[in-house]
Amino acid sequence: MVQMVRVVVLGEFRVDRLVPTLRDGGADVTVLGSVDLGSFLEPGVTCGELPAVMSEQVLLHLLRDHRADVALPNMGCRGQEQFLLSYARAASRMRAAGAGLGASCRMPVHSERFALLASDKVALHRLAAERGWPVPRGVVCADARALAGAVDELGFPALVKEARSEFGAGRHYVRDRGHLNRVSGEVTYPVLVQESVRGEEFAVEFLSGPTRTVAWPVASMGRIDGDCAPGRRVRVAPAALPAAAAGELAATVADMVAAFGPVGPWQMDLAVTDDGRLRVFELNGRLSGVSNMSWASTGLDPHVAYARTALGLVPPVPRADRIALELPVPNGAVLPAGPAGTEVMSHQGTPANRAPWNSGYHRPVLRLPEGRAEAARAWLRSLPPGVLLNSADEAVAQLGRGLAALRQGGGLPA
């Protein structure tokens, strides 16, 4: 008789998309989160509490208590962003000591070096300068006086980023001296001050295994604005980068993978400036808010692919065969069904993370093949006022970007 594999999922980010795949693969699943998930998940899934403060010692005790065969890091909800380094260090100890720690548990997690880059913006900035990765001009500041001098050097507006911050926090778009004075007394130092980049913002998700790294299509997050809120913009996947920027991105990713050993899901925020230069904003050692578009454009859900790797399966290479257009819609407004041959995909969030509903709007994704682009354009322009958070013109323009990328082969990094 084959013994059932005990998988402990560490975190509740879109866990409803992880658990069915794990259970279908024969795993006994326990989910540890920050709230009670019992009523949210399918019957028979054991749920428990994820500690609010995580260290490698706490994690090792936790995994022993649950007799875990596999531990699956699943950050993405507030309060869990900085757990990544503890996970990486615990995995290193388990590999070094094996059963001597009392638990033979496998944890597919990034190396400590990659975890540091993905959880510390100052470390990423310094390493980028050493390795020639294309990041915005920036200055690391240890106190308020240095912060003021850095902004004087870079000019207004500027971005101020705490080195170690949580999901959706610790980033400030500083517009003027009064705003700078307020921010300088609120942030936790050290901080990274970066020049404000003018151009289009993009994101891309990856899944790294022992033998290869696969990438989902690059997604356009729209034009960078002073709100620093890409979730409020119309977004689309796939999206094509200029040839020079695509080549530079491919070289940067290859160097990151070869030198720093990511294992599992990760994500990159980047931009292409108005003069065509690539700028990498930050790394995240997890899946992100664009995974809905990654799924819709390829048919391969990144969360499902991640679950399959926990069961020892090699994920296929994602290929875009549809346009995924994410449309911010105010809560209370009803987005009607799309035209024939298209699909509107809604995503509810979890009890611990109600996004995308908790900011006054939600983000359904319109999924369509190339041949339905004209019908989708007409549908967007016919929507009543108030249905879209933004204008129909913005949605139509992003649809055009997605169509062009799909015709070029899916917008994947080279």
Side-chain angles (χ1 to χ4, degrees):
M1 181 176 179
V2 177
Q3 185 177 1
M4 181 174 287
V5 175
R6 292 182 294 269
V7 178
V8 174
V9 179
L10 301 165
E12 63 271 46
F13 183 55
R14 293 182 177 150
V15 72
D16 54 316
R17 285 151 61 175
L18 277 170
V19 167
T21 299
L22 293 170
R23 297 187 81 189
D24 288 347
D28 176 31
V29 181
T30 296
V31 177
L32 304 182
S34 56
V35 298
D36 184 5
L37 297 165
S39 61
F40 176 71
L41 297 174
E42 56 193 79
V45 177
T46 303
C47 297
E49 185 177 356
L50 190 68
V53 178
M54 182 64 71
S55 68
E56 58 189 283
Q57 292 82 5
V58 168
L59 179 59
L60 290 170
H61 284 297
L62 198 64
L63 297 180
R64 279 199 295 266
D65 289 344
H66 286 280
R67 296 181 299 139
D69 299 309
V70 179
L72 206 60
N74 190 40
M75 295 81 61
C77 293
R78 193 176 299 276
Q80 300 169 15
E81 192 84 4
Q82 290 299 319
F83 288 1
L84 187 57
L85 268 170
S86 294
Y87 292 162
R89 289 167 181 157
S92 294
R93 284 186 61 184
M94 286 189 288
R95 285 192 296 269
L101 285 174
S104 55
C105 177
R106 179 171 58 87
M107 181 185 295
V109 69
H110 305 304
S111 71
E112 291 185 55
R113 295 184 72 201
F114 189 87
L116 179 63
L117 295 182
S119 58
D120 189 319
K121 295 171 183 59
V122 167
L124 174 62
H125 178 77
R126 287 172 171 159
L127 223 294
E130 292 178 16
R131 303 194 72 86
W133 298 340
V135 295
R137 287 192 307 138
V139 180
V140 176
C141 303
D143 54 35
R145 182 175 180 178
L147 173 56
V151 174
D152 286 341
E153 176 185 342
L154 296 173
F156 291 106
L159 284 171
V160 178
K161 300 178 178 180
E162 296 180 19
R164 295 191 175 183
S165 57
E166 284 293 338
F167 179 73
R171 300 163 186 82
H172 306 269
Y173 185 85
V174 177
R175 298 171 178 81
D176 53 41
R177 185 67 57 184
H179 191 192
L180 174 63
N181 291 339
R182 292 194 300 275
V183 167
S184 65
E186 297 171 355
V187 295
T188 299
Y189 293 90
V191 298
L192 171 64
V193 183
Q194 285 184 326
E195 66 177 339
S196 177
V197 172
R198 294 184 178 181
E200 186 173 357
E201 188 171 0
F202 297 88
V204 59
E205 294 184 311
F206 304 90
L207 182 59
S208 292
T211 59
R212 69 178 180 183
T213 291
V214 299
W216 274 262
V218 172
S220 167
M221 316 290 273
R223 181 145 187 104
I224 300 169
D225 54 38
D227 292 330
C228 291
R232 294 181 61 88
R233 309 178 203 139
V234 178
R235 313 194 294 195
V236 70
L241 300 177
E248 196 169 10
L249 174 60
T252 301
V253 169
D255 190 41
M256 288 178 177
V257 171
F260 295 94
V263 177
W266 52 291
Q267 184 260 342
M268 183 186 295
D269 292 329
L270 56 137
V272 174
T273 64
D274 287 340
D275 57 358
R277 295 176 299 168
L278 181 72
R279 290 292 180 262
V280 174
F281 288 155
E282 63 182 64
L283 294 178
N284 295 298
R286 52 170 172 78
L287 293 172
S288 70
V290 301
S291 64
N292 293 333
M293 288 188 291
S294 294
W295 179 15
S297 66
T298 66
L300 178 62
D301 183 353
H303 300 274
V304 170
Y306 180 34
R308 288 174 180 164
T309 64
L311 301 174
L313 303 176
V314 178
V317 176
R319 298 293 184 191
D321 62 0
R322 294 288 191 277
I323 301 166
L325 187 70
E326 188 180 72
L327 300 167
V329 173
N331 292 348
V334 178
L335 185 68
T342 71
E343 177 187 6
V344 174
M345 302 172 65
S346 295
H347 305 278
Q348 300 298 322
T350 69
N353 183 11
R354 297 291 182 182
W357 296 85
N358 60 0
S359 301
Y361 60 94
H362 55 287
R363 301 193 297 264
V365 176
L366 177 67
R367 182 173 188 252
L368 64 146
E370 176 184 341
R372 300 303 295 158
E374 282 302 324
R377 285 192 186 97
W379 175 78
L380 289 166
R381 295 200 181 280
S382 72
L383 293 175
V387 170
L388 299 179
L389 186 68
N390 308 299
S391 70
D393 288 342
E394 180 186 354
V396 168
Q398 285 290 73
L399 175 60
R401 287 187 179 92
L403 179 61
L406 193 65
R407 288 173 173 170
Q408 291 177 32
L412 289 166

